[in-house]
């Protein structure tokens, strides 16, 4: 059975710590112009059922920098779009490539691909989780603030795949995590039950953004409407989320040197004002860059 990367909870804190440290080392190597080709001759298949800029480019460039190769497969341009099953697709890809990265809808879909695969499968975002992104985000936090376990991290906005993955990270790393979501848009029961049953008192859910943001070291937000949720109630939802905008006034409740993160793409002046996104506390573009380094560490671990 290959080792997959579908959820942070498939790994121990020590293993994720190892990946974070490796990501920082890989970044240094790359910045120093040093070549590092542990994946020579290896190929990654990238399967996209949703749009992507960062995930697509950082995985492809990451494979190239590690001496390997990546190929892009979309559902429309492959037989997936004509109904070939996930499990058959996975078995076929496993005969050609050394690893599969997939971006899709239900978590069960990537689990189906992983259970049929004879090579490692990486979660490049599902409706439930976005683990590669949170690895890059933790790397960014450590570059700016020191050990992630010592921070107060705040999530402001929708209880979505990003929020869920932050909860998993807080379960493992033990940092204080405050989530501020509008009523009815908190993370799903499957995630909240985990907090309750595990007694994780470091994780709290609020319906008031300024209360959650108090004393924050890190403020995170994301789109109010995730891929696949583009429903008719968009305008109504935007109104409801308005008090959860990360702006100058909300920032005044956080520590003065708090950093602001957004996995991007941002809807400027909706969830995050341009003033904050382009301001001195923002680290959103470092965070985007760190996708490359964090994922290289994952690729190396799974295929190296
Ligand atoms: N943050 C992120 O996953 O970006 P893309 O959707 O562009 O891949
Ligand atoms: N929550 C967003 C993240 C995009 C990277 C989405 O799923 O669309």
């Amino acid at each position: 059975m290959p080792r997959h990367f579908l959820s942070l909870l498939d790994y121990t804190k020590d293993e994720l710590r190892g990946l974070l440290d490796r990501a920082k080392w890989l970044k240094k190597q790359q910045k120093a112009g040093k070549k590092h080709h542990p994946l020579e001759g290896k190929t990654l298949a990238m399967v996209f059922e949703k749009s992507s800029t960062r995930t697509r480019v950082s995985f492809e460039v990451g494979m190239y920098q590690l001496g390997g190769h990546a190929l892009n497969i979309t559902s429309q341009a492959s037989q997936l779009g004509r109904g070939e099953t996930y499990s058959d697709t996975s078995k076929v890809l496993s005969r050609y490539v050394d690893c599969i990265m997939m971006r899709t809808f239900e978590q069960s879909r990537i689990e189906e691909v992983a259970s049929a695969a004879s090579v490692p499968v990486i979660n490049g975002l599902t409706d439930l989780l976005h683990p590669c992104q949170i690895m890059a985000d933790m790397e960014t936090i450590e570059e700016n603030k020191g050990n992630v376990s010592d921070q107060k991290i705040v999530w402001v906005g929708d209880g979505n795949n990003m929020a869920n993955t932050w909860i998993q990270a807080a379960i493992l790393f033990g940092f204080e995590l405050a989530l501020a979501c509008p009523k009815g848009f908190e993370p799903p029961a499957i995630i909240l039950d985990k907090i309750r049953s595990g007694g994780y008192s470091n994780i709290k859910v609020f319906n008031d953004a300024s209360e959650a943001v108090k004393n924050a070291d890190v403020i995170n937000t994301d789109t109010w409407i995730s891929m696949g949720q583009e429903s008719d109630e968009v305008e109504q939802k935007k109104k409801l989320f308005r008090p959860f905008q990360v702006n100058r006034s909300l920032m005044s409740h956080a520590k003065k040197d708090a950093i602001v993160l957004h996995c991007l793409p941002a809807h400027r002046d909706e969830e995050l004002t341009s003033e904050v996104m382009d301001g001195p506390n923002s680290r959103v573009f470092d965070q985007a860059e760190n996708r490359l380094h964090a994922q290289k560490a994952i690729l190396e671990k799974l295929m190296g």
Side-chain angles (χ1 to χ4, degrees), residues 158-285:
D158 193 20
N160 63 13
N161 43 10
M162 285 289 301
N164 298 341
T165 317
W166 270 117
I167 290 172
Q168 295 193 333
I171 287 174
L172 290 162
F173 284 88
F175 53 76
E176 187 181 351
L177 177 67
L179 299 111
C181 312
K183 268 207 177 77
F185 292 91
E186 296 93 349
I190 177 179
I191 299 286
L192 294 182
D193 287 349
K194 188 112 196 147
I195 305 175
R196 274 189 281 268
S197 64
Y200 298 104
S201 57
N202 56 320
I203 309 170
K204 292 196 177 69
V205 182
F206 298 83
N207 296 123
D208 181 294
S210 44
E211 204 185 331
V213 161
K214 255 180 225 154
N215 227 19
D217 297 296
V218 181
I219 299 174
N220 276 280
T221 190
D222 185 14
T223 179
W224 295 334
I225 294 134
S226 284
M227 289 180 277
Q229 294 180 349
E230 298 90 352
S231 65
D232 298 338
E233 293 120 54
V234 166
E235 286 314 313
Q236 206 182 323
K237 206 172 165 187
K238 282 186 186 169
K239 236 187 242 161
L240 189 72
F241 274 75
R242 187 65 185 74
F244 294 81
Q245 184 188 64
V246 176
N247 52 32
R248 198 199 312 183
S249 143
L250 187 65
M251 289 290 295
S252 70
H253 299 276
K255 285 188 185 157
K256 225 176 146 13
D257 61 351
I259 59 165
V260 174
L261 301 180
H262 187 311
C263 62
L264 307 180
H267 299 77
R268 283 176 172 264
D269 300 311
E270 285 187 12
E271 69 268 10
L272 177 65
T273 57
S274 283
E275 184 189 14
V276 172
M277 185 167 159
D278 300 326
N281 300 70
S282 172
R283 296 291 180 277
V284 301
F285 297 109

Side-chain angles (χ1 to χ4, degrees), residues 12-23 135 173 297:
T12 63
K13 176 187 171 184
D14 286 350
E15 285 175 315
L16 295 182
R17 163 56 49 209
L19 285 172
L20 284 175
D21 291 345
R22 188 69 179 169
M135 293 303 289
F173 284 88

Side-chain angles (χ1 to χ4, degrees), residues 59-71:
F59 267 106
E60 185 161 344
V61 171
M63 277 304 287
Y64 175 75
Q65 289 181 356
L66 292 170
H69 172 72
L71 49 102

